[in-house]
């Protein structure tokens, strides 16, 4: 299957005006403006195939949104190549734009004063959607997103979560095979976040869409994305499976024990690094590859009432990964 | 579906949305129309007093009345607010989703203009008809040929003012003062486009400047066609040629500003 998105050595340098503080600085900037080159994205390469959901991770200012905008054709790359749905985004014209959806968290296309269904009708006309297709797709989106009681209310009366759901519906009526989503769950409550995650998963399953989303919520990543791309200061730090990232960054597994009888800390230390110990609870970090065998030995050798094996929290892994990249903010 | 039908449906949907939004802001629409009536009414009041029983350079009271009623209508049919919208789109990031959909933002702006002009123009025509019923001075002779020529001149003027406003709005790619530049232009146009006085009453060098630049083509010329101040095919032709010329110039400026602006948008982010 040919990739839906190909980015090769993608770079973007912005020219930013610099100004000294104070009135004198303002006047000087007016007379002789100075510019500084800011490398927002540096030599980033990746491919995404249809049906893949990829989480795009990085701290604020890492270059995520800039990359999304280049992929969507809003920004011209300074260098590098991009193919999205077979098109060069900035010269792909209407045919390209019909193949993508771009949802930028806080910049919405819904008309504030009108019910969301009016924006849906507008998009039906803009994207030339046949009446029957429109009815079918709208019914599907309303059903998947639970919008039945919402679409006829003015957008200004909707909650943030309802607005984002309507925004997604408006962006997906033309059934694009490629989705660029910038912080789709930002500021939403837990149930709205969950609804949007389930919806995105279902959309991908039904239509084989390729989805690239940025998020600061690790639940978005763990629930949706089998693959993560991490960038920091414009550089690609990691591209691969989430599991492999966890394995690489966190070479240990965490064993949580509930002890059934008295055990000395030294006895526990023989099995791994004691993370914490307060009878009857103990937490051990053990090498990932020997976790299963160590668990068996623990159960056989000590009075263990309960034992569970877990990865370290994903937030911790991501933080470590950025720290390992050497440029964590 | 044919391409023409698809475009008709798009424009229909855009105009419908614009009207639906208008319905949410009935009071502010009323205030805008009131302002559209008040400004020429004040100018008329002043010239009415100055003309007295005689005339000013051939303009008697009834001529001023017809001129400013025609001005009121033509102004509403040609006025364009696009620089304010574009400035907001560019500076607030609302241009992004517009760039990501298969419809050039100029089409949305054009449809908005059609919606606004249809609404405001029809209100002004009703106002004019009501006033004309009781005040013969503002009645126009029944002259379909002149109305047809006026329609063409109004169409050209509306296109010209749209392009001026759109292009000025695009300056927001470079400066935060795009709307201030538009206000400055509006201030100059108050005099040079004939909103304060018929151009024939301005000092000759200034009237000449207004004719050489785009100010007469953008407003005063269609008003003069409607009131019958422009007579003879040579004068009419000259007026239409000037309109076509400035339309072409501003169209070129608009295209250039759009292309360069998008490159710049890409260079500094949005």
């Amino acid at each position: 299957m040919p990739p839906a998105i190909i980015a090769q050595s993608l770079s973007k340098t912005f020219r930013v005006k610099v100004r000294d503080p104070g009135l004198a600085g303002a006047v000087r900037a007016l007379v002789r403006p100075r510019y500084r080159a800011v490398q927002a994205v540096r030599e980033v390469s990746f491919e995404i195939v249809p049906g893949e959901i990829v989480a795009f991770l990085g701290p604020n200012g890492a270059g995520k949104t800039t990359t999304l905008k280049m992929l969507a054709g809003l920004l011209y790359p300074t260098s590098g190549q991009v193919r999205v749905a077979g098109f060069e985004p900035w010269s792909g014209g209407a045919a390209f734009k019909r193949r993508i959806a771009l949802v930028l968290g806080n910049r919405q296309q819904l008309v504030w004063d009108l019910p969301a269904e009016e924006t849906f009708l507008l998009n039906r006309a803009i994207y030339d959607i046949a009446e029957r297709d429109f009815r079918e797709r709208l019914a599907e989106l309303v059903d998947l997103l639970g919008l039945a009681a919402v679409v006829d209310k003015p957008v200004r009366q909707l909650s943030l979560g309802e607005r984002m759901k309507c925004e997604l519906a408006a962006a997906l009526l033309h059934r694009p095979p490629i989705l660029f989503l910038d912080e789709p769950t930002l500021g939403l409550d837990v149930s709205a976040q969950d609804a949007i995650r389930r919806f995105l998963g279902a959309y991908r399953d039904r239509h084989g869409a390729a989805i690239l989303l940025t998020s600061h919520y690790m639940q978005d990543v763990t629930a949706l994305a089998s693959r993560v791309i991490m960038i920091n200061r414009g550089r690609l730090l990691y591209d691969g499976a989430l599991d492999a990232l966890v394995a690489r960054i966190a070479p240990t597994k965490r064993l949580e024990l509930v002890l059934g009888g008295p055990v000395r800390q030294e006895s526990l230390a023989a099995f791994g690094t004691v993370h914490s110990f307060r009878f009857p609870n103990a937490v051990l970090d053990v090498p990932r590859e020997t976790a299963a065998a160590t668990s068996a030995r623990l159960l056989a050798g000590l009075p263990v009432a309960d034992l569970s094996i877990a990865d370290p929290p994903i937030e911790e892994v991501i933080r470590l990964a950025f720290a390992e990249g050497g440029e964590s903010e | 579906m044919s391409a023409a039908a698809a475009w008709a449906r798009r424009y229909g949907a855009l105009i419908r949305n614009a009207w639906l939004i208008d319905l949410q802001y009935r009071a502010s629409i009323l205030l805008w129309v009131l302002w559209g009536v008040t400004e020429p009414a004040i100018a008329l009041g002043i010239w009415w007093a100055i003309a007295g029983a005689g005339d000013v350079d051939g303009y008697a009271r009834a001529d001023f009345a017809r001129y400013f009623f025609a001005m009121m209508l033509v102004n509403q049919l040609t006025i364009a607010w696009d620089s304010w919208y574009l400035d907001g789109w560019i500076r607030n990031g609302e241009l992004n989703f517009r760039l990501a959909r298969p419809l050039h933002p100029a089409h949305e702006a054009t449809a908005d203009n059609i919606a606004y002009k249809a609404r405001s123009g029809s209100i002004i025509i009703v106002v004019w008809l009501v006033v004309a019923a009781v005040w013969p001075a503002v009645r126009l002779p029944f002259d379909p040929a002149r109305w047809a020529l006026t329609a063409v001149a109004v169409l050209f003027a509306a296109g010209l003012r749209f392009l001026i406003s759109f292009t000025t709005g695009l300056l927001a790619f470079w400066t935060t003062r795009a709307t201030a530049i538009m206000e400055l232009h509006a201030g100059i146009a108050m005099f040079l486009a004939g909103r304060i006085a018929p151009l024939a009453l301005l000092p000759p060098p200034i009237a000449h400047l207004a004719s050489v630049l785009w100010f007469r083509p953008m407003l005063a010329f269609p008003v003069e066609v409607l009131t019958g101040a422009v007579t003879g095919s040579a004068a009419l032709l000259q007026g239409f040629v000037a309109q076509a010329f400035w339309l072409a110039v501003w169209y070129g400026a608009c295209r250039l500003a759009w292309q360069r602006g998008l490159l710049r948008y890409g260079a500094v982010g949005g």
Side-chain angles (χ1 to χ4, degrees):
Chain A
M1 196 182 304
I5 300 169
I6 306 171
Q8 279 174 349
S9 304
L10 197 57
S11 296
K12 179 73 192 175
T13 305
F14 290 123
R15 221 160 63 109
V16 180
K17 209 170 183 175
V18 284
R19 211 195 82 174
D20 297 327
L23 188 63
V27 173
R28 222 174 4 251
L30 207 61
V31 178
R32 195 170 353 135
R34 284 185 297 133
Y35 295 92
R36 184 163 53 91
V38 175
Q39 282 193 289
V41 177
R42 314 179 200 197
E43 299 280 324
V44 168
S45 301
F46 57 82
E47 292 185 358
I48 297 174
V49 296
E52 206 175 7
I53 299 184
V54 177
F56 203 23
L57 306 178
N60 293 331
K64 306 185 294 289
T65 307
T66 302
T67 306
L68 280 193
K69 285 181 176 175
M70 285 194 281
L71 296 177
L74 266 56
L75 299 182
Y76 301 86
T78 309
S79 63
Q81 263 116 49
V82 185
R83 302 294 285 184
V84 175
F87 291 89
E88 191 184 55
W90 47 94
S91 60
F96 165 69
K97 290 170 185 177
R98 286 173 201 283
R99 310 273 297 160
I100 63 154
L102 172 69
V103 177
L104 298 171
N106 51 351
R107 300 281 176 250
Q108 311 218 331
Q109 62 168 319
L110 297 172
V111 182
W112 187 246
D113 297 302
L114 302 180
E117 59 190 5
E118 298 297 343
T119 302
F120 301 159
L121 288 170
L122 181 65
N123 280 4
R124 180 187 70 175
I126 288 177
Y127 288 93
D128 280 337
I129 304 167
E131 177 65 27
R132 218 180 102 193
D133 290 343
F134 175 75
R135 292 286 151 216
E136 274 176 25
R137 293 174 194 179
L138 186 59
E140 179 190 320
L141 290 165
V142 164
D143 176 47
L144 282 175
L145 286 160
L147 290 176
V150 169
V151 289
D152 57 352
K153 285 192 207 159
V155 170
R156 61 167 181 265
Q157 290 176 10
L158 303 183
S159 72
L160 193 61
E162 289 168 339
R163 281 214 299 276
M164 181 45 83
K165 289 180 193 170
C166 289
E167 190 71 30
L168 280 171
L172 300 180
L173 275 169
H174 61 291
R175 199 165 280 175
I178 296 170
L179 275 59
F180 300 114
L181 310 174
D182 194 19
E183 305 277 1
T185 54
L186 187 68
L188 306 189
D189 64 38
V190 177
S191 70
Q193 283 181 29
D194 185 52
I196 286 189
R197 279 176 209 130
R198 278 187 286 115
F199 167 74
L200 291 174
Y203 185 87
R204 185 269 310 267
D205 294 343
R206 286 190 187 193
H207 307 301
I211 303 178
L212 179 59
L213 76 135
T214 73
S215 179
H216 286 295
Y217 295 120
M218 285 311 135
Q219 288 92 329
D220 285 354
V221 180
T222 50
L224 278 175
S226 50
R227 176 177 158 202
V228 296
I229 293 176
M230 298 176 62
I231 64 169
N232 195 9
R233 304 228 174 138
R235 281 209 182 85
L236 193 97
L237 293 186
Y238 177 80
D239 176 2
L242 186 60
D243 299 347
L245 176 72
V246 173
R248 197 186 87 184
I249 298 296
T252 57
K253 285 254 184 192
R254 189 156 279 186
L255 304 186
E256 296 181 357
L257 312 174
V258 178
L259 299 164
V263 172
R264 293 216 324 255
Q265 182 154 353
E266 296 80 73
S267 313
L268 284 171
F271 293 91
T273 309
V274 181
H275 184 270
S276 65
F277 179 39
R278 177 179 284 180
F279 186 82
N281 299 100
V283 177
L284 294 181
D285 288 335
V286 301
R288 177 170 289 271
E289 56 278 10
T290 61
T294 308
S295 304
R297 284 198 293 122
L298 270 166
L299 288 167
L302 295 177
V304 176
D306 192 20
L307 182 149
S308 64
I309 310 176
D311 279 314
I314 189 72
E315 285 84 354
E316 179 77 4
V317 174
I318 299 292
R319 193 183 62 74
L320 285 169
F322 284 125
E324 193 186 64
E327 297 182 355
S328 181
E329 289 176 348
Chain B
M1 194 192 309
S2 76
W7 278 109
R9 201 163 77 157
R10 281 181 197 158
Y11 267 79
L14 287 164
I15 291 169
R16 179 173 172 276
N17 253 23
W19 280 335
L20 286 172
I21 295 169
D22 283 349
L23 286 173
Q24 302 289 317
Y25 293 96
R26 294 177 292 269
S28 86
I29 298 292
L30 201 66
L31 284 173
W32 278 114
V33 172
L34 206 61
W35 170 243
V37 174
T38 308
E39 188 198 281
I42 291 171
L44 172 58
I46 293 169
W47 287 107
W48 186 269
I50 293 171
D55 66 89
V56 183
D57 283 355
Y59 273 81
R61 280 183 162 178
D63 298 317
F64 280 119
R66 273 192 299 278
Y67 179 84
F68 283 109
F69 267 77
M71 171 58 68
M72 184 169 72
L73 177 64
V74 172
N75 189 38
Q76 287 299 320
L77 290 178
T78 57
I79 199 161
W81 305 104
D82 301 272
S83 55
W84 277 268
Y85 291 117
L86 268 172
D87 180 73
W89 292 356
I90 292 168
R91 295 205 292 135
N92 302 332
E94 288 163 23
L95 189 62
N96 287 328
F97 79 78
R98 291 183 163 88
L99 290 177
R101 61 186 190 186
L103 182 81
H104 194 294
H107 288 297
E108 185 183 346
T110 306
D112 264 348
N113 273 276
I114 294 170
Y116 174 86
K117 282 157 187 169
R119 185 207 346 103
S120 304
S122 49
I123 294 173
I124 297 289
I125 286 175
V126 170
V127 169
W128 195 346
L129 287 174
V130 169
V131 175
V134 294
W135 191 20
V138 300
R139 287 178 200 163
L140 290 175
F142 181 78
D143 188 348
R146 191 200 286 180
W147 295 350
L149 286 173
T150 304
V152 177
V154 163
L155 198 64
F156 275 32
L160 184 52
R161 292 182 79 178
F162 168 73
L163 288 171
I164 292 169
S165 190
F166 200 88
T167 309
T168 313
L170 290 176
L171 295 179
F173 281 126
W174 292 271
T175 171
T176 54
R177 311 295 297 159
T179 55
I181 294 168
M182 196 62 215
E183 301 227 19
L184 177 68
H185 181 271
I188 296 169
M190 279 284 276
F191 296 93
L192 296 191
R195 280 167 69 176
I196 295 283
L199 294 186
L201 303 189
L202 295 182
I206 295 179
H208 180 68
L209 188 69
S211 297
V212 171
L213 294 175
W214 55 86
F215 294 100
R216 181 169 179 257
M218 71 177 245
L219 185 56
F221 175 67
V223 173
E224 291 165 13
V225 175
L226 181 57
T227 57
V230 187
T231 49
S233 43
L236 280 168
L237 187 65
Q238 195 186 26
F240 282 118
V241 167
Q243 283 194 311
F245 171 77
W246 284 112
L247 257 178
V249 169
W250 278 98
Y251 179 73
C254 192
R255 297 254 333 198
L256 189 70
W258 177 255
Q259 284 160 359
R260 293 284 170 90
L262 279 190
L263 280 175
R264 173 158 175 104
Y265 193 57
V268 300

